[in-house]
């Protein structure tokens, strides 16, 4: 058998003794409205290896049998209660670990429902039969005793156990790193909850049932902002205040007999605790899902950025090979064909065929050069974005069917390569789409620079398109948006079928890429 850790071996007996002593002293003539030892035992079992469970079960035996709070009670009664509570804790722990897993963190609605069915409803209902029978042997009514037993166990499992488990699962290093305003918010919540709880459950004693709901807005606040831990702590605090007022003869339950008042308090706490804890769990689950989705999107965007950078590198490599290798070899072939055509030892037909092949080779060299410039425009590296766009516009103006105009306001600063090439590719893709699909007769490319920011506009008078359809059936628009996002910019597309298209790419001066480049320079 394995012993628990040193701190667990020291802390558990002390905590269990205090919980048991307080619970027994609270209502010596009836079952406690909170049976605190249940939470201490169940949490110890859930938080420790199964090989150490025997320690927690056996440690409770002398504390329950020979404590000062047990004076005057028959030993058989104490032994029976110990056996029932130990079996209850053991069964709850085994079922929870089997159905939920070894880590119960109340981070999903499935976990909360499974826990509620086991520890709040099922096992307490079974144990209440034995508890009612044991208390019946002392002269109590079986049904009343069983009901008190069940409600005390259920309420404890609903309030104290989630609080202890959430506290144990909390990463306190992250808590210490939270923003200071969150601490102020928590302090305001504690103050408001304490004031309204004391006012409604201790101070005021009238017949109005509305007063008990005075802390509800702040309980909702705790559930929404601080999750299951905040909800469980707040509900436990409200329950403690209500018990204090109850046994002081104050609060909304003071005008009815104690047994009926305790039952009313228990039912009230169960009714408000279940939806609040469920709400807190749902919000925590949604926040975890949103965080996971955000991380996944961020990883996807990082991968996309690397793919775009890799694509540009590949374009540069292919462009250089086309220009410096393939084009040169074809040019050499053209020169050889020209020399062959001028030689005197071949027929006129062979000379004509050589001249034709030389013309084809020259056209291939021209096409390779154009393709190389498109893959990696040298002007963008040598003269900058502004002149590179003007050259691009001039090349398109060779087509007599379309008029492309270029306008510029301001002069762009020296842009990092990744920023310049992204803006250039957006204009290039926009022009390709307009020429291929819009049927436009006039296209305007504008570059506007002011206060360190840049804005590019490509407008055409073509047919326009359905933006939703294009976004879901093509990669061009998605690629343009991803390029702008990677450099800290935005892309806006304004188009209506039949009314042309305007594409606006903006890179603000606050862009991380621009800031990094400015800092480096």
């Amino acid at each position: 058998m394995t012993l628990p850790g040193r701190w667990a071996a020291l802390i558990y007996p002390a905590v269990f003794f205090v919980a048991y002593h307080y619970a027994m002293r609270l209502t010596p003539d009836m079952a406690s409205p909170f049976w605190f030892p249940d939470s201490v035992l169940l949490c110890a079992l859930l938080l420790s290896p199964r090989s150490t469970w025997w320690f927690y079960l056996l440690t409770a035996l002398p504390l329950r049998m020979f404590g000062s709070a047990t004076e005057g009670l028959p030993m058989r009664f104490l032994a029976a209660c110990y056996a029932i509570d130990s079996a209850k804790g053991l069964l709850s722990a085994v079922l929870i670990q089997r159905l939920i897993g070894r880590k119960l963190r109340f981070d999903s609605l499935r976990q909360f429902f499974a826990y509620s069915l086991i520890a709040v409803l099922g096992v307490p209902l079974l144990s209440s039969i034995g508890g009612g029978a044991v208390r019946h042997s002392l002269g109590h009514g079986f049904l009343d005793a069983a009901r008190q037993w069940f409600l005390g166990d259920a309420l404890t499992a609903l309030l104290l156990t989630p609080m202890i488990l959430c506290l144990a699962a909390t990463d306190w290093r992250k808590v210490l790193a939270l923003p200071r305003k969150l601490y102020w918010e928590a302090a305001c919540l504690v103050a408001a909850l304490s004031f309204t709880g004391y006012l409604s459950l201790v101070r005021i004693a009238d017949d109005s049932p509305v007063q008990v709901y005075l802390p509800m807005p702040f309980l909702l606040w705790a559930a929404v902002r601080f999750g299951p831990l905040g909800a469980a702590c707040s509900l436990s605090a409200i329950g403690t205040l209500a018990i204090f007022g109850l046994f002081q003869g104050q609060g909304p339950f003071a005008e009815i007999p104690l047994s009926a008042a305790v039952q009313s308090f228990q039912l009230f706490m169960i009714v408000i605790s279940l939806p609040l804890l469920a709400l807190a769990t749902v919000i925590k689950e949604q926040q975890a899902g949103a965080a996971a989705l955000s991380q996944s999107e961020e990883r996807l965007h990082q991968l996309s950025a690397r793919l775009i950078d890799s694509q540009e590198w590949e374009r540069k490599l292919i462009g250089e090979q086309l220009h410096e290798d393939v084009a040169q070899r074809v040019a050499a072939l053209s020169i050889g064909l020209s020399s062959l055509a001028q030689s005197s030892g071949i027929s006129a037909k062979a000379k004509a065929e050589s001249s034709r092949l030389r013309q084809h080779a020259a056209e291939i060299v021209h096409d390779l050069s154009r393709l190389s410039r498109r893959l990696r425009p040298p002007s963008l590296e040598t003269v900058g974005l502004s002149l590179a766009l003007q050259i691009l516009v001039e090349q398109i103006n060779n087509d007599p069917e379309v008029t492309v105009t270029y306008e510029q306001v301001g002069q762009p600063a020296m842009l990092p390569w990744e920023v310049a090439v992204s803006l250039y590719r957006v204009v290039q893709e926009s022009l390709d789409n307009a020429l291929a699909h819009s049927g436009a007769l006039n296209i305007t490319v504008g570059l506007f620079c002011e206060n360190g920011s840049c804005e590019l506009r490509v407008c055409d008078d073509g047919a326009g398109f359905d933006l939703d359809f294009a976004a879901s059936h093509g990669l061009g628009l998605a690629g343009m948006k991803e390029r702008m996002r990677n450099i800290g910019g935005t892309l806006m597309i304004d188009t209506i079928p039949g009314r042309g298209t305007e594409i606006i790419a903006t890179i603000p001066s606050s862009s991380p890429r621009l800031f990094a480049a400015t800092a480096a320079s």
Side-chain angles (χ1 to χ4, degrees), residues 207-379:
D207 296 331
S208 173
V210 178
Q211 71 180 64
V212 297
Y213 295 102
L214 190 59
M216 278 301 297
F218 304 103
L219 291 173
L220 281 170
W221 181 7
V224 171
R225 292 289 291 155
F226 297 97
L229 175 59
C233 290
S234 301
L235 288 166
S236 298
I238 289 296
T240 302
L241 284 173
I243 290 178
F244 175 77
L246 188 67
F247 291 102
Q248 292 295 319
Q250 297 176 305
F253 306 106
E255 301 300 325
I256 55 179
L258 183 60
S259 60
V262 169
Q263 181 177 325
S264 298
F265 153 75
Q266 290 172 323
L267 291 173
F268 167 73
M269 290 301 301
I270 290 173
V271 166
I272 67 171
S273 299
L274 278 170
L276 283 173
L277 286 171
L279 173 64
T281 303
V282 168
I283 292 175
K284 183 179 180 181
E285 184 176 16
Q286 290 179 341
Q287 289 174 343
L293 180 61
S294 178
Q295 292 177 357
S296 177
E297 289 179 347
E298 183 60 31
R299 288 194 295 269
L300 182 62
H301 287 309
Q302 292 175 357
L303 176 61
S304 175
R306 289 196 295 268
L307 288 175
I308 289 174
D309 292 340
S310 176
Q311 182 188 60
E312 290 297 333
W313 184 85
E314 289 288 347
R315 284 182 172 184
K316 177 182 180 181
L317 181 62
I318 295 173
E320 290 176 349
Q321 288 180 342
L322 288 176
H323 181 266
E324 298 176 3
D325 183 17
V326 180
Q328 297 299 325
R329 290 161 64 183
V330 175
L333 177 62
S334 176
I335 294 173
L337 290 171
S338 178
S339 299
L340 179 63
Q342 294 174 3
S343 63
S344 58
I346 62 173
S347 64
K349 182 178 180 181
K351 288 183 178 182
E353 185 64 18
S354 298
S355 297
R356 187 180 66 82
L357 291 175
R358 183 176 59 82
Q359 180 63 30
H360 283 318
E363 292 174 356
I364 292 174
V365 170
H366 178 269
D367 291 341
L368 287 174
S369 177
R370 180 173 56 82
L371 181 58
S372 174
R373 290 194 301 270
R374 182 174 178 82
L375 288 172
R376 185 76 169 187
S379 58

Side-chain angles (χ1 to χ4, degrees), residues 67 87 158 172 201 209 230 271 335 383 429 459 475 483:
L158 195 57
W172 295 103
L201 299 172
V271 166
I335 294 173
V383 298
E429 182 74 22
C459 309
L475 297 177
R483 280 184 178 276

